[in-house]
């Protein structure tokens, strides 16, 4: 489900923030007094987080400017859209049933497109690239110290920098919220004003910024539209930044979409996004419609999203890799009504092309620039170029790692490959990853870029080592490059210690104190606890060490009767076999298109079975 959501997010990226209230240039005048305890005299510059896509709350407003509430009385979030299921079913149900019964497009594709328009209208910019009035960004125009408990929770949920705040003080932490579907240039303007405000109210003459994911595009704009900002910056700590956009967005904007290929849609596409058996079940169910009809409906939906959401949204354009810009802008922005948008996307395109040059300029002016990236996690297979580069699931590695060269996911650099040293001239440095996938010397900042193997983009903030590293970089000057300490090597691993830390270790310690067991079991339990704590506390990990420690604890907890042995269920392969059999014999055809043969009787029975399921669901 997570993956599906991230796909929807990726597909959904759209329009603009016109909420000009909040943190604008007019406001800082009143906040001229220094609000920090240090008065600006401590060694740590305040940090401003520039978060990623979907990491800011944006609320839907009605015509009176009041919050629109859902059936449970909660405010409605605008990201990535608002899916009012009841409304969508109402709209699509009748055309879908008619199309099903007649096996022809009796309004299915148009009603689907209309439903999508309804789900995304709040993210549809106008022809100036501005977001509609019906959205409000939840902003925090003050330090975390002045945030309410609710606001702190929102911020720390997105980036758990509590330890940083504890060390340095919450008055040295700021969160720059913005609309993911906002206007790129307006957001950059706001960030520049925000930096000036933070300087003023903390008393520090420089700040640290932390651009995360889409925040990397905002930083690109900042460095290019406001070159003088170099004097305001002490450190930049990039985390999985989309410096050259995402190939997924490039493929969507140029309609190089993998699932519009019939054969891939019925065999291969869904498997890349979810559990195979679930994917195969959907493939089988999809055959209740003729393949042409289904593909046409999807095609219409994509066109609608491109026209309403993507084409007019300058923040979406900022996620387009530069190599796609010429083709995509010619296709989507040629009509005269797009003139104002094209001026803005042209401007960002220059900032994106200048990204490495502007980052180098920071370094040359004494700003410390660090980069934390993930790799060896295949890009979600939305676009045809999903396997053209190594990636973290959402962004290709050359984008996050400033042009780095690497092998594809699952492959290694050729045996005779030698380190290129494009950006490193120290012959003693080995910048080839231990798994021989990445040549870090080919990325702009080989000595200050940290790589995490097998780490998925959207789980980056759950990797406690990444958060500890970011904290160390922001709160101290202990780390100046990847050689500063063996605790934070250049190449590290994906991990998520929550189960080990919050469940397994407490359960094991509790068992040690309360459960009667043999000496041998006790020795093993103690050893497993020791291993778990060692793994938990070290930051330079080994691949799979968290799972190994967790499994060891689990095994002994089962042995001494604290945990029940989990029954290993044979996973079902019914739909997998069925879908593959259908594909082999009938290609992508819907049930109604099958030839009348004995096989058809079997399939008619299956079809009837699914119709019943659908009926039950729909009524
Ligand atoms: Zn200070
Ligand atoms: Zn080097």
């Amino acid at each position: 489900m997570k993956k599906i959501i991230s796909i929807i997010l990726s597909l959904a990226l759209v329009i603009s923030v016109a909420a000009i209230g909040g943190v604008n240039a007019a406001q800082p005048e009143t906040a001229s007094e220094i609000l920090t305890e240090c008065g600006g005299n401590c060694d740590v510059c305040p940090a401003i987080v520039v978060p990623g896509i979907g990491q800011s709350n944006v609320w839907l407003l009605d015509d009176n400017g009041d919050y629109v509430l859902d059936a449970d009385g909660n405010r409605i979030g605008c990201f990535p859209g608002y899916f009012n299921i009841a409304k969508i079913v109402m709209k699509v149900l009748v055309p879908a049933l008619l199309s099903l019964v007649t096996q022809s497009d009796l309004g299915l594709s148009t009603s689907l497109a209309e439903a999508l328009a309804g789900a995304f209208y709040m993210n549809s910019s106008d022809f100036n690239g501005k977001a509609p009035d019906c959205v409000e960004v939840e902003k925090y125009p003050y330090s975390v110290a002045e945030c309410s408990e609710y606001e702190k929770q929102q911020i720390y949920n997105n980036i758990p920098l509590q330890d940083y705040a504890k060390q340095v003080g919450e008055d040295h932490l700021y969160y720059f919220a913005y609309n993911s579907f906002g206007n790129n240039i307006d957001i950059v303007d706001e960030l520049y004003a925000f930096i000036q405000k933070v300087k003023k109210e903390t008393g520090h003459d420089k700040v640290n910024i932390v651009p995360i994911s889409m925040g990397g595009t905002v930083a690109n704009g900042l460095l290019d539209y406001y070159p003088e900002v170099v004097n305001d910056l002490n450190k930049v700590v990039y985390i999985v930044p989309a410096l050259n956009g995402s190939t997924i967005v490039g493929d969507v904007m140029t309609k190089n979409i993998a699932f519009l290929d019939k054969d891939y849609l019925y065999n291969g596409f869904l498997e890349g996004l979810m559990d195979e058996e679930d994917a195969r079940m959907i493939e089988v169910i999809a055959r209740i419609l003729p393949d042409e009809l289904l593909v046409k409906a999807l095609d219409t939906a994509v066109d609608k999203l491109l026209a309403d959401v993507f084409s007019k949204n300058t923040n979406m354009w900022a996620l387009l890799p530069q190599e796609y810009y010429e083709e995509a802008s010619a296709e989507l922005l040629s009509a005269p009504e797009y003139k104002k948008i094209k001026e803005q996307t042209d401007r960002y395109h220059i900032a994106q092309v200048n990204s490495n040059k502007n980052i180098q300029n920071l370094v040359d002016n004494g700003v410390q620039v660090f980069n934390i990236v993930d790799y060896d996690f295949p890009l979600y297979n939305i676009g045809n170029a999903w396997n053209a580069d190594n990636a973290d699931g959402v962004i290709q590695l050359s984008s996050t790692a400033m042009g780095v060269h690497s092998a594809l996911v699952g492959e290694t650099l050729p045996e005779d490959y030698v380190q290129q040293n494009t950006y490193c001239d120290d012959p003693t440095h080995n910048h080839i990853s231990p798994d021989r996938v990445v040549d870090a010397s080919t990325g702009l900042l080989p000595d200050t870029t940290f790589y995490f193997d097998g780490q998925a983009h959207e789980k980056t903030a759950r990797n406690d080592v990444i958060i500890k590293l970011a904290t160390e970089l922001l709160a101290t000057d202990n780390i100046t490059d990847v050689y500063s300490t063996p605790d934070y090597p250049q190449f590290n691993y994906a991990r998520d210690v929550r189960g080990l830390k919050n469940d397994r270790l407490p359960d094991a310690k509790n068992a040690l104190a309360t459960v009667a067991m043999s000496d041998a079991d006790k020795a093993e339990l103690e050893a497993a606890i020791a291993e778990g704590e060692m793994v938990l506390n070290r930051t330079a990990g080994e691949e799979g060490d968290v799972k190994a420690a967790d499994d060891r604890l689990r095994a002994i907890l089962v042995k001494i009767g604290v945990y029940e042995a989990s029954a290993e269920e044979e996973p079902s392969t019914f739909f997998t076999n069925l879908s593959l059999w259908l594909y082999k014999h009938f290609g992508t055809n819907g049930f109604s298109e099958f030839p009348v043969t004995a096989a058809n009787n079997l399939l008619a029975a299956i079809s009837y079975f699914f119709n019943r399921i659908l009926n039950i669901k729909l009524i």
Side-chain angles (χ1 to χ4, degrees):
M1 206 53 198
K2 266 260 145 99
K3 277 192 184 175
I4 300 182
I5 291 169
S6 56
I7 302 320
I8 294 172
L9 304 193
S10 311
L11 279 172
L13 306 179
V14 186
I15 277 187
S16 161
V17 161
I20 295 179
V23 197
N24 253 327
Q27 225 175 322
E29 315 300 329
T30 53
S32 57
E33 64 193 287
I34 293 175
L35 303 173
T36 44
E37 238 169 75
C38 71
N41 296 313
C42 78
D43 292 338
V44 183
C45 294
I48 301 172
V49 174
V50 186
I53 191 164
Q55 290 190 315
S56 300
N57 292 329
V58 180
W59 303 115
L60 186 61
L61 304 177
D62 64 20
D63 291 343
N64 301 320
D66 297 322
Y67 295 118
V68 181
L69 305 179
D70 65 15
D72 300 322
N74 298 316
R75 287 180 292 179
I76 289 173
C78 296
F79 186 87
Y82 176 54
F83 302 94
N84 186 330
I85 300 300
K87 237 177 164 175
I88 292 172
V89 169
M90 291 276 283
K91 205 167 217 124
V92 178
L93 182 62
V94 171
L97 287 177
L98 282 174
S99 302
L100 191 61
V101 171
T102 62
Q103 296 287 299
S104 62
D105 190 2
L106 284 185
L108 177 64
S109 30
T110 45
S111 66
L112 200 60
E114 277 170 30
L116 283 172
F120 289 109
Y121 76 90
M122 70 292 287
N123 294 324
S124 181
S125 294
D126 63 18
F127 283 106
N128 293 313
K130 305 278 186 181
D133 291 334
C134 64
V135 301
E136 180 188 279
V137 183
E138 181 177 305
K139 293 182 182 176
Y140 318 108
Y142 28 68
S143 77
V144 173
E146 291 178 68
C147 283
S148 67
E149 282 311 309
Y150 160 81
E151 290 172 330
K152 287 181 190 180
Q153 203 183 353
Q154 308 305 303
I155 292 167
Y156 290 140
N157 275 350
N158 289 325
I159 175 144
L161 285 174
Q162 290 92 331
D163 284 344
Y164 164 85
K166 238 177 256 167
Q167 280 181 55
V168 179
E170 286 186 326
D171 60 357
H172 282 55
L173 180 60
Y174 288 77
Y175 193 88
F176 176 74
Y178 65 92
N179 185 350
S180 299
F181 296 117
N183 180 284
N184 166 262
I185 291 173
D186 288 351
I187 292 169
V188 173
D189 289 348
E190 271 187 56
L191 176 59
Y192 182 74
F194 194 67
I195 289 170
Q196 307 315 315
K197 173 183 155 69
V198 171
K199 280 171 54 181
K200 218 177 249 183
E201 70 179 39
T202 60
H204 281 274
D205 59 0
K206 288 179 194 289
V207 301
N208 298 331
I209 61 170
V210 188
I212 303 170
S213 191
M214 186 190 232
T217 68
V218 181
N220 273 347
L222 180 74
L223 301 187
D224 209 66
Y225 312 157
Y226 291 96
E228 65 273 28
V229 79
V230 62
N231 300 314
D232 300 326
L233 300 177
N234 173 56
K235 290 180 186 177
V236 181
V237 178
Y238 288 106
I239 301 178
V240 293
L243 295 172
N244 189 32
S246 163
T247 305
I248 295 175
V249 175
D251 279 345
V252 169
M253 302 272 264
T254 52
K255 257 190 113 178
N256 283 301
I257 295 175
F259 59 75
L260 295 181
D261 175 86
K262 270 197 311 196
D263 283 285
Y264 194 52
L265 178 64
Y266 285 83
N267 183 22
F269 170 64
L270 294 169
E271 288 73 27
L273 303 177
M274 61 181 87
D275 173 72
E276 175 164 13
E277 183 68 1
D278 292 349
R280 296 293 182 190
M281 183 179 75
I282 295 173
E283 285 168 1
V284 174
I285 293 174
R287 288 175 191 268
I288 61 178
L289 292 173
D291 49 4
E292 292 82 6
L293 175 53
L294 183 61
V295 172
K296 184 185 164 204
L298 290 173
D299 192 75
T300 310
V302 170
D303 283 344
K304 186 73 182 165
L305 281 176
L306 282 176
D308 283 8
V309 181
F310 287 69
S311 66
K312 291 182 285 180
N313 187 258
T314 56
N315 243 15
M316 186 80 258
W317 281 97
L319 282 174
L320 184 90
Q322 55 184 282
E323 303 78 23
Y324 286 84
Y325 186 64
E326 205 183 320
E327 182 189 344
S329 63
E331 183 64 37
L332 296 171
L333 301 180
S334 294
E337 61 265 35
Y338 283 95
K339 183 167 170 279
K340 288 241 166 72
I341 290 169
K342 175 94 174 10
E343 284 168 10
Q344 296 175 54
T345 57
D346 281 350
R347 183 68 193 89
Y348 180 78
H349 178 64
I350 293 169
Q352 188 184 47
V353 169
N354 287 343
S355 179
N356 272 11
K357 196 181 89 190
N358 290 335
I359 292 169
Q360 185 62 49
N361 181 53
L362 292 181
V363 175
D364 294 344
N365 282 280
V367 181
Q368 294 180 71
V369 183
F370 301 93
N371 193 11
I372 301 172
V373 303
D374 309 329
Y375 76 103
D376 253 357
F377 198 99
L379 205 67
Y380 296 124
N381 53 335
I382 307 290
N384 288 326
W386 67 272
N387 199 26
D389 189 2
N390 207 295
D392 65 10
V394 176
I395 304 178
Q396 68 280 15
L397 183 61
S398 58
S399 174
T400 55
M402 304 175 182
V404 84
H405 174 68
S406 61
L408 297 180
V409 175
E411 298 178 13
T412 53
L413 294 165
E415 243 165 70
D416 57 353
Y417 183 87
V418 285
Q419 184 170 310
Q420 297 297 296
N421 284 338
T422 324
Y423 294 103
C424 177
D425 48 21
D426 186 329
T428 67
H429 286 177
N430 175 17
H431 285 301
I432 305 271
S433 62
D435 54 11
R436 281 192 68 79
V437 173
V438 181
D439 177 359
S441 78
T442 57
L444 179 66
L445 301 174
D447 295 340
T448 54
T449 300
F450 297 83
Y451 292 80
F452 285 80
D453 183 11
Q455 179 66 52
H457 183 93
E458 65 274 29
K459 291 182 181 163
T460 299
R462 290 192 201 158
N463 186 324
D464 61 319
V465 174
I466 290 179
I467 296 301
K468 282 179 186 167
L469 172 58
T471 298
E472 195 75 11
L473 292 170
L474 293 167
T476 77
D477 290 320
N478 296 341
I479 300 176
T480 54
D481 61 38
V482 296
Y483 301 105
S484 293
T485 160
D487 288 341
Y488 294 103
Q490 175 146 49
F491 296 102
N492 215 321
Y493 297 94
R495 69 183 227 168
D496 182 349
V497 296
R498 289 176 306 168
L500 177 66
K501 185 180 171 187
N502 302 331
D503 300 322
R504 229 67 60 221
L505 277 169
D507 291 349
K509 285 180 193 167
N510 186 46
L512 192 62
T514 59
V515 178
M517 65 191 92
S518 72
D519 286 350
D521 285 348
K522 190 171 173 213
E524 169 57 14
L525 182 59
E526 283 171 342
I529 291 172
E531 181 184 332
E533 286 187 325
M534 184 267 291
V535 166
L536 189 64
N537 292 328
R538 75 175 171 198
T539 52
E542 287 166 18
E543 192 168 14
D545 56 0
V546 173
K547 185 173 185 306
D550 195 70
D551 287 349
R552 185 177 180 185
L553 280 163
R554 204 183 280 276
I556 184 65
L557 286 167
V558 168
K559 180 141 191 286
I560 61 175
V562 175
Y563 284 6
E564 278 179 38
S566 53
E568 289 277 311
E569 267 180 57
E570 268 298 297
S572 164
T573 56
F574 174 77
F575 286 108
T576 300
N577 295 335
L578 179 58
S579 181
L580 287 170
W581 184 84
L582 289 170
Y583 184 74
K584 188 176 162 200
H585 289 90
F586 303 104
T588 61
N589 282 339
F591 293 123
S592 68
E593 299 166 298
F594 287 7
V596 185
T597 63
N600 205 13
N601 295 332
L602 168 66
L603 294 165
I606 294 167
S607 178
Y608 173 74
F609 173 61
F610 283 118
N611 277 320
R612 285 203 48 175
I613 291 182
L614 277 182
N615 282 334
I616 290 163
K617 273 198 178 155
L618 290 173
I619 288 167

